[in-house]
Amino acid sequence: MARNESPDISFYPTPAYTPPHDSNIPLAVLVSSRAVIFDQENNLVVSPATITISPQTGTIISILPTVLPASSFPGNTTYIDHTPQLLLPGLVDAHVHLNEPGRTEWEGFNTGTRAAASGGVTTVIDMPLNAIPPTTTVNGLKEKVKAAQGQCWVDVGFYGGIIPGNSEELLPLVEAGVRGFKGFLIESGVDEFPAVSSSDVALAMTTLADTATTLMFHAEMIPPITDSVGDDVQTSLPPMHPSGPLTSYNTFLYSRPPAFETYAIEEILSLAHLAPDLPLHIVHLSALEGVPILRAARDRGIKITAETCFHYLALASEDVQDGDTRHKCCPPIRNAVNRDGLWEELSKPDSVLQTIVSDHSPCTPELKLLPEHLGHGCGSGGHKGVNGEILSAEEAEEKERGDFFASWGGISSVGLGLPILWTEATARAPTSKSPISILDVVRLCSLNTAKQVGLSHRKGALRPGMDADICVFDDKATFVVGREQMLFRNKVSPYQGKTMTGMVKQTWVRGSLVFERGGLNGGFVGKGGVPVGKLLLEKRRS
């Protein structure tokens, strides 16, 4: 069947129970000439669709591959025809740092999930670090859950962390509902989340070997011979022999070569035999050189996947201006050739890159050390360090503006990912042998991310019985990213000023309209402007 053909409705099984025409049960029905659904052979297709939702249960009742008129439904039905806009499953962003409690001046559950909802993201999975306490103990998870209550605009799950000495907490965290675990093979940049050694990794693998979880790694390690002493992920000393000014992006890039990533990946693979059935995952793969290593491992039967990020697919080192630390992250944004290679890998049927995520990792403007001409007065005037230390004005002034080594590493983009990806995909389509389609976007950002965190039974797809998480996407609209489009707490992002193709018009979370562009209350129109997100704490089963 061609991608744009409508499936024959006669082949579809009888839809799930739909209340009769005179029912008093209110329904919500979304229709469009274009929706990403499954055909009768379980293939993902773009098709006309009528999606019937139960606001009471928050689930999809039925999907038909045609557009039914409003007269087909009871008079009390909320019926919306979104033709010709796309109906997509809500995105599952499986890599977000919300930083609460402890560093809420960086981000928080309320602001971070509002930003997510504005971009069609209906589920975020919060990383275990940058909050204080981190999610490395059950008590730490309880503190995070307490802080999140009543604040979330979308559904939120949690990862646990692996650090030296917390192996006895891992199984209790599985029971408490974490979606997976993450560890750093290099210093994370925050005191409370130290790097793990090979022995720590081995212990985590054997502890988690028979559980339904995923063990994930920030895969950077300093090879035995290197000029760099940048052994912290986020802020570091410069190399002893820097290749250029510390405000030059290339100086920073050369200090973190692809060997940092490949060396770490090889280390992880050397231990994989300890837990052959445990899914392993490399977060935010940047270096293309890691791809053949991962493919060879998969060919040997090792259960390992990788994700990449919107910024590695949209940005290139050649375009980063001196001092523009908005682009600093670890692993770093590499050159355009590397970026092109990541896109080529994504287009392969057997790609090792199974998911695309934001890795939203914000901080205060002060910690970015932006030069005055890029700061635009967005700082608060405080002098608080990464680990909470209070800096004197003199100490703060000693840090050079635009220093890529001293500034915090992280890209802010939650809620912008879909237009970022779609902008780049559509620009590449005319010259690509295997262009990335909207079906691929759904697969990489919804289906596979839900699977990665054990939520495929509820999230990531439009199917009867699943959560009615829906993104209404205008794939032709354009906009310029300004402060009003950046709903995360600190308006510091390398995407500011860029023109995007594709705009989210509505976001539905479990059958409730949460966000409507241009609506009242800044677009947050559902439930009287009250957050409706739930915390996903069910024990993982797959």
Side-chain angles (χ1 to χ4, degrees), residues 37-116:
I37 61 174
F38 290 90
D39 66 11
Q40 67 273 15
E41 296 175 346
N42 206 35
N43 297 311
L44 208 58
V45 296
V46 177
S47 163
T50 298
I51 303 174
T52 305
I53 297 166
S54 167
Q56 285 71 37
T57 66
T59 59
I60 297 171
I61 297 174
S62 66
I63 300 176
L64 288 176
T66 187
V67 174
L68 296 179
S71 58
S72 300
F73 299 93
N76 60 350
T77 298
T78 299
Y79 179 95
I80 308 174
D81 188 343
H82 285 291
T83 301
Q85 294 164 7
L86 283 157
L87 301 182
L88 310 176
L91 276 65
V92 178
D93 193 340
H95 193 144
V96 177
H97 295 267
L98 293 174
N99 303 341
E100 188 174 0
R103 290 190 176 94
T104 50
E105 69 271 21
W106 295 17
E107 193 61 273
F109 287 106
N110 189 287
T111 52
T113 59
R114 276 173 67 95

Side-chain angles (χ1 to χ4, degrees), residues 244-308:
L246 304 186
T247 55
S248 167
Y249 185 76
N250 278 341
T251 307
F252 170 67
L253 178 61
Y254 295 155
S255 78
R256 302 189 87 90
F260 272 41
E261 295 186 66
T262 57
Y263 186 61
I265 291 169
E266 295 280 16
E267 182 71 13
I268 294 160
L269 294 174
S270 74
L271 300 168
H273 67 279
L274 298 173
D277 295 324
L278 178 65
L280 306 176
H281 184 75
I282 304 300
V283 299
H284 50 49
L285 183 76
S286 164
L288 190 61
E289 290 85 346
V291 168
I293 300 172
L294 291 167
R295 175 168 285 108
R298 286 164 62 87
D299 290 343
R300 297 196 304 270
I302 296 176
K303 293 184 176 181
I304 190 164
T305 56
E307 70 192 29
T308 193

